Amino acid sequence: MMTHWIQIIYLISAVLFILGIKWMNKTKAARQGNLLSALGMLLAILATLVQVQVLTLPEILGGMLVGSVIGLVIARRVEMTQIPEMVALFNGFGGLASVAVATSDYWLRQYELNQGLDAIVGPSALVSIFIGGITFTGSVVAFLKLNGRISGQPITFSGQHALNLILFLSSLLVGSMAFWSAIDPLWVLIFIILSLILGVLTVIPIGGADMPVVISLLNSYSGMAACTTGFVLNNSVLIVSGALVGASGIILTQIMCKAMNRSLVSVLLGGFGQTASGSTSDGPEIVVKEVGVEEAAMLFDAASSVIIVPGYGMAVAQAQHAIRELSELCAKRNISVKFAIHPVAGRMPGHMNVLLAEANIPYDQLIEMEEINDEFSRTDLVFVVGANDVVNPAARTNPQSPIFGMPILNADKAQTVIVSKRSMGKGYAGIENELFGYPNCLMLFGDAKQTITKVVGEMKEL
Ligand code: NAP
């Protein structure tokens, strides 16, 4: 009877997870979606605690308390710009947990109870250990690359792909041996070590700039590892939630690759940073026109429609609050203000939405690329804040460009464009942006937060 109730609660949890993900799809409902998923998780945890077997309840609650406190402290300290590396660590720990659970279950059945493995538990445990191991070390390397503790440049050497293939085939061999018989436990250890090495080797050739795509892929791996662990433990909610994470991670990876005009294979083979910087110096030098804060304030004051294009530089400068002040000033003067959101602006999906929402900019002012792109040609002033690649016309015009084919925001079509950035520094793709030299484009040099604050000050004087 009890097991029936637990299965029903697991089913409710799974439905809440799915609804939560659906709601997170819409900016307005995202918070409720998050809460709904959290409720699903709470129910799943409670139902699991009821059937505690191996550890005692106080031991489990103690572990949960320590983990929750650590998580809370880290979540409070982390800056918005550090979220991608945080997600990398989360994925890594998810992978490590799968390795730990699957290994202990394998060990118990094979060496303690001498039960052997059946056709479901055996392969599931070994796949879980293998994918979990790759996810763990791969995520740690991604974390170290993103926070600059190791070089973000692709690390490559000759024979790298051949070595990866040999390690993969060796893992397959050792894994099959581990399934068919109770081999020497040393081989199980070797199997784990092989997966850990493969995790390092598959992520080091990928440039720091491609890391968000890899993190999304590793997120999918951690879901797959959790899903297979669900088969090991015969736990339906783990199977469903792992499958959801695995599937949504792979869909997100595809969306990011498409929006960046990159194939997943080319990301995984690595070396993007090198190619891009190699192809930058061609073409004539870009001559730009500068604008000062006073003149910029006057241009805002004279406009009747403004589109703001936020990019990675806005996140670096933490300029979102200054931007909200600017948009409120414009609104008071009956100037229409909209925000154009490119799907890969910033360094993670939804990066701009999160920052602008944090600054209380109304959701209905945030307009997706497909919806707003036709409006640029009818707009008086476009204000590009720390964005570069997502407004680079080379994506439309230059087949040699590494970003050729990537859909961009049509900022160049507006009557006047002001670009706020610190210098002529390049963006993620490492290429020049000819927009900055266009006759309708003016450069407002300086840190975005500082210059926008000054523009706001000037506007108040007008
Ligand atoms: P971007 O092309 O990387 O350019 C950002 C610009 O911000 C730089 O040119 C930099 O110029 C400027 N900047 C940096 N700090 C600044 C500051 N304090 N104040 C003002 N400006 C500052 O950014 P993007 O246009 O947002 O494009 C995103 C790129 O990331 C795309 O190429 C996309 O494919 C890639 N990407 C995105 C994701 C994702 O999920 N969102 C994932 C992977 C890759 P200065 O140095 O001159 O200031």
Side-chain angles (χ1 to χ4, degrees):
M1 188 63 191
M2 176 79 143
T3 25
H4 280 108
W5 276 109
I6 286 171
Q7 292 308 326
I8 289 171
I9 294 175
Y10 279 167
L11 188 67
I12 295 171
S13 302
V15 172
L16 289 175
F17 291 153
I18 294 168
L19 281 178
I21 292 182
K22 192 172 159 48
W23 286 15
M24 279 185 228
N25 223 358
K26 296 261 175 289
T27 325
K28 269 186 192 162
R31 275 172 202 257
Q32 286 97 316
N34 207 358
L35 276 178
L36 215 58
S37 303
L39 179 67
M41 185 55 82
L42 182 69
L43 287 180
I45 292 173
L46 291 178
T48 308
L49 287 182
V50 175
Q51 12 159 24
V52 162
Q53 282 170 354
V54 184
L55 295 175
T56 64
L57 203 56
E59 282 169 337
I60 295 180
L61 291 179
M64 283 173 71
L65 188 72
V66 173
S68 305
V69 170
I70 296 175
L72 200 69
V73 171
I74 296 178
R76 284 191 176 275
R77 283 199 189 154
V78 73
E79 300 281 340
M80 271 293 175
T81 45
Q82 294 171 321
I83 295 287
E85 58 210 61
M86 271 292 288
V87 175
L89 270 193
F90 284 155
N91 295 339
F93 287 134
L96 187 62
S98 295
V99 174
V101 173
T103 308
S104 58
D105 199 88
Y106 175 88
W107 207 271
L108 189 74
R109 288 169 195 261
Q110 200 75 299
Y111 302 116
E112 308 275 333
L113 305 175
N114 293 320
Q115 273 180 350
L117 301 163
D118 66 40
I120 293 182
V121 172
S124 304
L126 294 164
V127 170
S128 180
I129 295 172
F130 185 61
I131 303 181
I134 292 180
T135 310
F136 174 55
T137 45
S139 301
V140 170
V141 173
F143 168 78
L144 294 173
K145 280 197 174 214
L146 277 178
N147 73 8
R149 292 198 197 172
I150 58 173
S151 163
Q153 285 298 313
I155 301 168
T156 50
F157 53 88
S158 61
Q160 199 163 16
H161 299 313
L163 178 64
N164 287 354
L165 187 68
I166 291 170
L167 289 175
F168 176 75
L169 293 176
S170 312
S171 308
L172 212 62
L173 187 71
V174 181
S176 319
M177 282 160 49
F179 172 60
W180 291 115
S181 62
I183 48 172
D184 190 324
L186 185 68
W187 284 106
V188 180
L189 204 66
I190 291 175
F191 181 64
I192 298 174
I193 292 171
L194 281 174
S195 72
L196 297 177
I197 298 175
L198 259 174
V200 174
L201 288 181
T202 43
V203 176
I204 52 164
I206 300 168
D210 263 344
M211 237 9 96
V213 182
V214 175
I215 288 171
S216 166
L217 191 68
L218 289 168
N219 180 247
S220 169
Y221 287 176
S222 73
M224 288 187 236
C227 179
T228 45
T229 309
F231 282 103
V232 175
L233 299 178
N234 194 17
N235 182 311
S236 58
V237 81
L238 198 53
I239 296 173
V240 174
S241 52
L244 282 174
V245 174
S248 51
I250 205 82
I251 292 170
L252 187 59
T253 309
Q254 283 298 344
I255 291 173
M256 283 163 77
C257 284
K258 203 171 150 215
M260 290 157 60
N261 194 30
R262 311 259 290 116
S263 76
L264 184 56
V265 175
S266 70
V267 170
L268 292 180
L269 291 181
F272 180 55
Q274 293 166 340
T275 325
S277 50
S279 59
T280 55
S281 49
D282 307 334
E285 205 191 320
I286 293 171
V287 181
V288 301
K289 291 191 288 297
E290 271 193 63
V291 68
V293 284
E294 208 176 319
E295 203 188 330
M298 283 159 70
L299 284 167
F300 271 100
D301 196 49
S304 59
S305 53
V306 172
I307 296 180
I308 298 177
V309 176
Y312 177 63
M314 179 188 81
V316 177
Q318 289 291 291
Q320 60 275 23
H321 297 279
I323 290 179
R324 194 215 43 231
E325 230 189 309
L326 178 69
S327 73
E328 283 173 354
L329 266 184
C330 290
K332 274 191 197 147
R333 288 162 203 224
N334 288 327
I335 305 166
S336 121
V337 181
K338 290 180 180 166
F339 291 81
I341 310 295
H342 190 283
V344 290
R347 288 293 181 273
M348 60 176 179
H351 202 169
M352 299 298 111
N353 304 61
V354 171
L355 293 177
L356 295 173
E358 181 199 283
N360 287 327
I361 289 170
Y363 296 132
D364 55 10
Q365 283 186 17
L366 315 187
I367 320 282
E368 300 293 330
M369 177 169 66
E370 296 81 32
E371 249 180 88
I372 203 161
N373 249 352
D374 291 339
E375 274 189 45
F376 281 100
S377 55
R378 302 191 293 272
T379 302
D380 295 337
L381 181 63
V382 166
F383 188 36
V384 177
V385 185
N388 192 338
D389 297 341
V390 299
V391 290
N392 190 339
R396 275 193 235 115
T397 57
N398 181 2
Q400 310 308 321
S401 170
I403 61 163
F404 184 68
M406 170 170 122
I408 55 156
L409 290 164
N410 294 334
D412 54 314
K413 305 250 159 100
Q415 203 171 332
T416 307
V417 184
I418 298 180
V419 179
S420 159
K421 68 202 293 288
R422 297 165 306 179
S423 62
M424 287 299 284
K426 291 159 188 159
Y428 156 85
I431 50 170
E432 301 285 2
N433 190 339
E434 62 186 71
L435 165 72
F436 304 155
Y438 279 15
N440 61 341
C441 184
L442 301 164
M443 304 299 291
L444 179 61
F445 286 122
D447 172 79
K449 185 174 170 183
Q450 287 172 9
T451 40
I452 296 172
T453 309
K454 284 185 196 154
V455 171
V456 167
E458 288 292 336
M459 272 184 86
K460 285 181 181 163
E461 303 285 310
L462 292 176

